[in-house]
Amino acid sequence: MTRYEQLAQQLREQIRTGVWQEGDKLPSLRETVRRSGLSLMTVLSAYQLLESQGWVRSRPQSGYFVAPAREATRYSFPQQPLQPAETVDINAFIFSVLQAGNNPDCVALGSAFPDPSLFPQHQLSRALIRVARQMHADVTGVTLPPGCADLRRSIAQRYAARGMEISPDEIVITSGALEALNLSLQALTQPGDWVVVESPAFYGALQAIERHHLKAVAVATDPQQGMDLDALAQALQQYPVKACWLMSHCQNPLGGTMPNANKQRLLALLAEHQISLIEDDVYGELYAGLTPPRPAKAWDTQGRVLHCGSFSKTLATGFRIGWVAAGQQAEAIQRLQLMSTLSTSAPMQLALADYLSSHRYDKHLHTLRRTLEQRKHIFYRAIQREFPASIRVYYAEGSYFLWLELPPHCCATRLYRRALKAGITIAPGRMFAAGEQYRHCFRLNASLPWNARSEAAIKQLAALIAEQLALR
Amino acid sequence: MTRYEQLAQQLREQIRTGVWQEGDKLPSLRETVRRSGLSLMTVLSAYQLLESQGWVRSRPQSGYFVAPAREATRYSFPQQPLQPAETVDINAFIFSVLQAGNNPDCVALGSAFPDPSLFPQHQLSRALIRVARQMHADVTGVTLPPGCADLRRSIAQRYAARGMEISPDEIVITSGALEALNLSLQALTQPGDWVVVESPAFYGALQAIERHHLKAVAVATDPQQGMDLDALAQALQQYPVKACWLMSHCQNPLGGTMPNANKQRLLALLAEHQISLIEDDVYGELYAGLTPPRPAKAWDTQGRVLHCGSFSKTLATGFRIGWVAAGQQAEAIQRLQLMSTLSTSAPMQLALADYLSSHRYDKHLHTLRRTLEQRKHIFYRAIQREFPASIRVYYAEGSYFLWLELPPHCCATRLYRRALKAGITIAPGRMFAAGEQYRHCFRLNASLPWNARSEAAIKQLAALIAEQLALR
């Protein structure tokens, strides 16, 4: 990252955390030059970048001021009541949405995956070719659960780089994080048990709960603070909860990241009730804020956190390789995997181990984070420009999702159907809860390249939204 | 297959089906030459092959006679009572056996996989390299459920070659047959439901039943006739069964194949009770008898059979690619897969599609069947030579398993533990049922190459068995 980008990021973080609030005048260019020791050109570039991203406005002869908060950095959800749901039944709807998203003729603003052209295709191909050339007949034995030892060691090294001591022995390689999450849930629960999930939540959590005949308590989740811990404490008092499932970083669909202090309080709360945490962290490596986040797992002293990660969102969508650092449950997870899919494919495990040994992953991630951040800014600006002013949009550091809220009378599911006919997918809020409370919301994928096609899609979407608004 | 091998196979089939019984004199060489039009050398070679395999004995000046049935071709299990099991709890035991089998220093007579050196490693590597070279970024979209269209078409073509009309649209690509079987079970049942399984059964069926909180009725299964259909009819009267799970060909662990007439009666019975069949057919392609078998699915007119296949036992163990031809349940299976593993790895699907398009699979299968048959004969003869005479052994056409029965007072689990210490694995009968009725039985993998190591293992095993027999 260049110096001016670093400075811009610092200032964004300060605006996010309220050091500078709407209307505040930022320190003058001259003053910042003096304090920071940076050149005037560098400081000016940083301020211009912030302006282009909509964070600040310049006033001639006066300086730079924090832009009004129509942008949703300070947007916070109303406190929600607990949402117990004896049965969860949204699979059919989600399936139809996912199926629709497979159509390559659609502009995939509803997709959960980053634009795959951002992945290091060539390097992965070469890793796969090296593996294919050396592949011996008896490759399966080394990749059965818990999975390829070299790959597990590489993953453990990445934890170590974040200051976490995770033994390769507690890591199990899985078919993407989705299998890791599902096996974790199975290891911790029996049919009929209660599980805490976020509201709104990744639909995979709701599907897993339906599939395994569990009951869900959805606890309100704020894009800046993460899960409401007071509401969680109340839920744990009221329901015999067996597990808690949440995303600590770049939450899907909101995009927000839970502050470290909250992670610590969360763990204390769960420990008090002897409840395990399924920490879905598939987007953590994409966090673009200043300080790389530490998973809740970092404060887990009892082996109660099952930390699920993946390469699908950062490196290779189609390889289907994820993992869980499963603590106490490592053996249980292996047993469950042996009887459900046996193992993940051997060449894929070996190819990823080969790629990671080249030490190019961090460099790739660095570039990927920057590109995603840039693209998201462009989408965000376009949305501010094109969409009706009554639409709220939440922008979070490090996620490639934007979460949008229509006025309450509007139905994003209807918008989804209309958009689909126009060749555009969105992810309607209905997917992210058992109830109807997000039916006026939707999630946009802002990782696509900005070109005539995506620009036309945003304009078309704006027109469809205007149509919905008029439907009162 | 050479002419003399064909003739030997015909004669074996005739002995198996009782055309020639123990002590019968086979037609003389001269007579067979006259009837068949084959040369005397060819006919003599066939008779000598049968003698070397223990099927016939020559008496000087008299001719060839069917050997006594110490070999188990006519061996049949005693009728067993129905075995309802409210809960199934053998996972822990099976996990420990599978874990032990991963040790490469052991002679893997307990393995469920054929010797991987029999697979066309080089051709698969080349297919994988071709795929890696052409891999484009957006490969995932084409391999999401139901899976790669070319691969599904190739599988449909293989069905067509067996006279079965299966649309590519009802085929779903899965992580090995194991995922196909598990998803099939989930599509058909809810926790608490009853499922019919074989006795003895593939342990994966028992594990799936435990994992999904189902109840099992185990119906006696005969190596020659397959599942006892009278007992099945009785079970369907007595229990509110939701699904029936069986292996129609080269059953694991017995090795036997259900006659076509029985398959038809089976389907009629299930149709009468409106029950779906999960047909586990991972070994069908290895059947070495004269007529290639047709799955029960071939007589399914109502889309009630979920036919599960795999490339893991015939082509590429570590790729983890299987499928289910799911009839009515095709969409339900896709929905379940999307929420449990999302999909199988894209490069693996594409590499298999590439390999199958080369039309080398049938040639490979032909060679594989012959080699497996030869190796099994060698193991079978060695067992007859080395093992105590009180051991019964069942030999089936087309399976690479041998099923052995110790006298009832012996415990094969104890034998397993003793053998493990000596660096040899076996698959104890305890793995194949919820109860204890096969504790004196075990399964041997006869696909290993016959060399000093495997010969020593068989001799060592013989000594350990003698020790067990003496333990009265």
Side-chain angles (χ1 to χ4, degrees):
Chain A
M1 206 181 296
T2 62
R3 286 184 177 177
Y4 82 88
E5 285 173 324
Q6 282 177 357
L7 177 59
Q9 197 172 39
Q10 273 172 13
L11 289 165
R12 269 204 308 275
E13 197 91 347
Q14 289 167 3
I15 296 171
R16 266 171 54 88
T17 55
V19 175
W20 310 107
Q21 302 199 338
E22 178 181 338
D24 281 353
K25 181 177 183 299
L26 290 187
S28 72
L29 296 177
R30 200 170 303 265
E31 196 183 329
T32 308
V33 166
R34 192 173 50 77
R35 280 200 203 153
S36 67
L38 298 168
S39 75
L40 181 63
M41 231 7 253
T42 303
V43 176
L44 182 62
S45 299
Y47 279 57
Q48 285 172 338
L49 177 62
L50 289 178
E51 189 176 16
S52 76
Q53 293 171 350
W55 293 87
V56 301
R57 287 182 183 173
S58 66
R59 286 188 209 147
Q61 312 299 329
S62 305
Y64 289 86
F65 295 80
V66 176
R70 181 194 138 195
E71 60 185 82
T73 41
R74 269 167 248 129
Y75 170 69
S76 136
F77 284 90
Q79 169 74 21
Q80 293 173 332
L82 299 175
Q83 294 147 10
E86 289 273 342
T87 57
V88 180
D89 175 28
I90 53 163
N91 282 334
F93 178 66
I94 290 171
F95 182 67
S96 68
V97 175
L98 294 181
Q99 288 293 88
N102 277 355
N103 184 345
D105 296 332
C106 281
V107 182
L109 294 176
S111 165
F113 288 98
D115 174 10
S117 73
L118 299 176
F119 291 156
Q121 198 55 48
H122 182 62
Q123 287 168 20
L124 288 169
S125 292
R126 281 174 48 186
L128 192 49
I129 289 169
R130 274 192 298 273
V131 164
R133 288 212 172 110
Q134 293 161 14
M135 203 158 57
H136 55 95
D138 210 1
V139 83
T140 319
V142 299
T143 54
L144 283 176
C148 168
D150 285 344
L151 182 55
R152 288 183 292 118
R153 224 168 4 245
S154 284
I155 293 168
Q157 285 162 7
R158 298 190 63 76
Y159 280 116
R162 287 201 269 177
M164 294 168 67
E165 272 187 44
I166 305 285
S167 158
D169 293 340
E170 68 164 294
I171 296 172
V172 184
I173 306 299
T174 55
S175 291
L178 193 58
E179 187 184 34
L181 292 161
N182 272 282
L183 296 181
S184 297
L185 193 66
Q186 284 172 64
L188 298 172
T189 62
Q190 298 286 318
D193 283 348
W194 287 88
V195 177
V196 164
V197 292
E198 296 167 303
S199 174
F202 165 48
Y203 48 77
L206 306 173
Q207 290 177 311
I209 283 168
E210 176 172 341
R211 196 159 74 92
H212 297 296
H213 308 279
L214 301 165
K215 296 170 189 164
V217 195
V219 175
T221 293
D222 176 277
Q224 284 179 48
Q225 298 300 314
M227 183 175 276
D228 180 330
L229 296 179
D230 293 329
L232 173 63
Q234 196 188 327
L236 299 185
Q237 291 292 346
Q238 276 183 280
Y239 299 91
V241 168
K242 288 289 163 54
C244 174
W245 174 334
L246 57 74
M247 301 189 79
S248 39
H249 308 125
C250 309
Q251 198 255 8
N252 180 4
L254 299 176
T257 287
M258 188 183 243
N260 284 349
N262 290 22
K263 289 175 194 159
Q264 286 170 273
R265 200 186 141 207
L266 168 73
L267 279 200
L269 204 53
L270 295 178
E272 194 183 305
H273 294 264
Q274 302 199 307
I275 292 168
S276 291
L277 175 66
I278 301 174
E279 185 176 18
D280 177 358
D281 198 14
V282 298
Y283 299 105
E285 297 270 30
L286 297 178
Y287 181 79
L290 274 189
T291 323
R294 302 183 82 198
K297 174 92 179 164
W299 291 278
D300 175 29
T301 53
Q302 302 179 310
R304 284 194 175 282
V305 178
L306 293 86
H307 183 256
C308 300
S310 170
F311 298 102
S312 302
K313 305 295 195 296
T314 54
L315 189 62
T317 309
F319 277 32
R320 304 303 307 134
I321 300 287
W323 73 88
V324 51
Q328 292 173 354
Q329 301 292 333
E331 190 187 311
I333 297 280
Q334 288 179 60
R335 283 171 54 175
L336 286 166
Q337 187 182 30
L338 266 175
M339 61 180 102
S340 51
T341 58
L342 191 64
S343 75
T344 63
S345 104
M348 295 295 93
Q349 291 190 48
L350 296 171
L352 275 184
D354 177 284
Y355 172 81
L356 291 177
S357 72
S358 72
H359 301 293
R360 291 177 163 180
Y361 188 37
D362 279 313
K363 190 153 175 288
H364 158 67
L365 281 176
H366 182 79
T367 313
L368 179 63
R369 284 187 206 112
R370 276 187 57 186
T371 311
L372 288 176
E373 209 58 18
Q374 285 163 0
R375 291 189 174 182
K376 192 174 51 179
H377 282 310
I378 296 170
F379 266 92
Y380 180 62
R381 285 206 308 270
I383 284 169
Q384 288 197 304
R385 201 168 54 232
E386 303 291 344
F387 283 17
S390 57
I391 311 303
R392 303 179 78 179
V393 48
Y394 181 69
Y395 179 105
E397 209 80 45
S399 168
Y400 52 84
F401 295 136
L402 295 170
W403 178 250
L404 292 95
E405 197 181 288
L406 303 172
H409 76 277
C410 289
C411 174
T413 308
R414 201 162 49 199
L415 177 65
Y416 155 75
R417 296 218 169 86
R418 292 282 293 115
L420 193 59
K421 279 189 192 151
I424 303 163
T425 67
I426 61 172
R430 179 80 182 77
M431 296 173 81
F432 302 102
E436 290 285 340
Q437 61 270 38
Y438 304 107
R439 62 190 283 285
H440 61 301
C441 304
F442 62 101
R443 188 194 69 190
L444 282 192
N445 185 319
S447 76
L448 304 187
W450 188 254
N451 53 28
R453 190 167 184 247
S454 40
E455 187 170 1
I458 288 293
K459 285 188 173 164
Q460 172 94 60
L461 208 50
L464 293 172
I465 290 171
E467 211 179 277
Q468 294 296 314
L469 292 180
L471 272 182
R472 177 111 233 180
Chain B
M1 204 183 295
T2 61
R3 286 185 176 175
Y4 82 89
E5 284 173 323
Q6 282 176 356
L7 177 59
Q9 197 172 39
Q10 274 173 11
L11 288 166
R12 269 205 308 275
E13 197 90 348
Q14 289 168 2
I15 295 170
R16 265 173 55 87
T17 53
V19 175
W20 310 106
Q21 301 200 338
E22 179 181 336
D24 279 354
K25 183 177 181 300
L26 290 187
S28 71
L29 296 177
R30 200 170 303 266
E31 197 182 330
T32 308
V33 166
R34 192 174 49 76
R35 281 200 204 154
S36 65
L38 297 168
S39 75
L40 181 62
M41 232 5 254
T42 301
V43 175
L44 181 61
S45 298
Y47 278 58
Q48 284 173 340
L49 177 63
L50 288 177
E51 188 176 18
S52 78
Q53 293 170 349
W55 292 87
V56 302
R57 286 182 183 174
S58 66
R59 288 189 207 147
Q61 313 300 330
S62 304
Y64 287 87
F65 294 81
V66 177
R70 181 197 135 194
E71 60 185 81
T73 41
R74 270 167 249 130
Y75 169 69
S76 134
F77 285 90
Q79 169 76 20
Q80 293 173 333
L82 298 176
Q83 294 146 13
E86 288 272 343
T87 58
V88 181
D89 175 29
I90 54 161
N91 281 334
F93 178 67
I94 289 171
F95 181 66
S96 67
V97 175
L98 294 181
Q99 288 293 87
N102 276 354
N103 184 347
D105 296 331
C106 282
V107 182
L109 295 176
S111 165
F113 288 97
D115 174 11
S117 72
L118 299 176
F119 292 156
Q121 198 54 47
H122 182 63
Q123 287 168 20
L124 288 169
S125 292
R126 280 173 50 184
L128 193 48
I129 288 169
R130 273 193 297 273
V131 164
R133 288 212 172 109
Q134 294 162 14
M135 203 158 58
H136 55 95
D138 210 2
V139 83
T140 319
V142 300
T143 53
L144 283 176
C148 168
D150 285 344
L151 183 55
R152 288 183 292 118
R153 225 171 0 249
S154 283
I155 293 168
Q157 285 162 6
R158 298 191 62 77
Y159 281 116
R162 289 200 270 177
M164 294 167 67
E165 272 188 44
I166 305 286
S167 158
D169 293 340
E170 69 163 291
I171 296 172
V172 184
I173 306 298
T174 55
S175 290
L178 193 58
E179 187 184 33
L181 292 161
N182 271 281
L183 296 181
S184 297
L185 193 66
Q186 284 173 64
L188 298 172
T189 63
Q190 297 288 317
D193 283 348
W194 287 88
V195 177
V196 164
V197 292
E198 295 166 304
S199 174
F202 165 48
Y203 49 77
L206 306 174
Q207 290 178 311
I209 283 168
E210 176 174 341
R211 195 158 75 91
H212 297 296
H213 308 279
L214 302 165
K215 296 170 189 165
V217 196
V219 175
T221 293
D222 175 277
Q224 284 181 48
Q225 298 299 314
M227 184 175 274
D228 180 329
L229 296 179
D230 293 329
L232 174 63
Q234 196 188 329
L236 299 184
Q237 291 292 346
Q238 276 183 281
Y239 299 92
V241 167
K242 288 288 164 54
C244 174
W245 175 333
L246 57 74
M247 300 188 79
S248 40
H249 309 125
C250 310
Q251 198 255 7
N252 179 5
L254 299 175
T257 286
M258 187 183 242
N260 283 349
N262 290 21
K263 290 175 194 158
Q264 287 170 272
R265 200 186 141 206
L266 167 74
L267 279 200
L269 204 52
L270 295 178
E272 194 182 306
H273 290 82
Q274 302 199 306
I275 292 168
S276 291
L277 175 65
I278 301 173
E279 185 175 20
D280 177 357
D281 198 13
V282 298
Y283 299 105
E285 297 271 30
L286 296 179
Y287 182 79
L290 274 189
T291 322
R294 303 184 82 196
K297 174 92 180 165
W299 291 278
D300 175 30
T301 53
Q302 301 179 310
R304 285 195 175 280
V305 177
L306 292 87
H307 183 256
C308 301
S310 170
F311 297 103
S312 302
K313 304 295 194 295
T314 52
L315 188 62
T317 308
F319 277 31
R320 304 303 307 135
I321 300 286
W323 73 88
V324 51
Q328 291 173 355
Q329 300 293 334
E331 191 188 309
I333 298 280
Q334 288 180 60
R335 283 171 54 176
L336 287 167
Q337 187 182 29
L338 265 176
M339 62 180 103
S340 51
T341 58
L342 190 64
S343 75
T344 62
S345 104
M348 296 295 93
Q349 292 188 48
L350 296 170
L352 275 184
D354 177 284
Y355 172 81
L356 292 176
S357 72
S358 72
H359 301 292
R360 290 178 163 177
Y361 189 37
D362 279 312
K363 190 153 175 287
H364 158 67
L365 281 176
H366 181 78
T367 312
L368 179 63
R369 285 187 205 109
R370 275 188 58 187
T371 310
L372 287 175
E373 209 58 18
Q374 284 163 359
R375 290 188 174 184
K376 192 174 51 181
H377 282 310
I378 296 171
F379 267 92
Y380 179 63
R381 284 208 307 272
I383 283 169
Q384 287 198 304
R385 200 168 56 231
E386 303 291 343
F387 282 17
S390 56
I391 311 303
R392 302 179 79 176
V393 48
Y394 180 68
Y395 179 106
E397 210 80 46
S399 168
Y400 51 86
F401 294 135
L402 295 170
W403 178 250
L404 292 94
E405 197 180 289
L406 303 171
H409 75 278
C410 289
C411 174
T413 308
R414 202 162 49 199
L415 177 65
Y416 155 75
R417 296 215 169 88
R418 294 280 294 115
L420 194 58
K421 280 188 192 154
I424 303 163
T425 67
I426 62 172
R430 179 81 183 75
M431 297 173 81
F432 303 102
E436 290 285 342
Q437 61 270 39
Y438 304 106
R439 62 189 284 284
H440 62 301
C441 303
F442 62 101
R443 188 195 70 189
L444 282 191
N445 184 318
S447 76
L448 304 187
W450 187 252
N451 53 28
R453 192 168 183 246
S454 41
E455 186 170 2
I458 289 293
K459 284 188 173 164
Q460 172 94 59
L461 208 50
L464 292 172
I465 289 171
E467 211 179 274
Q468 294 296 313
L469 291 181
L471 271 182
R472 178 110 233 180

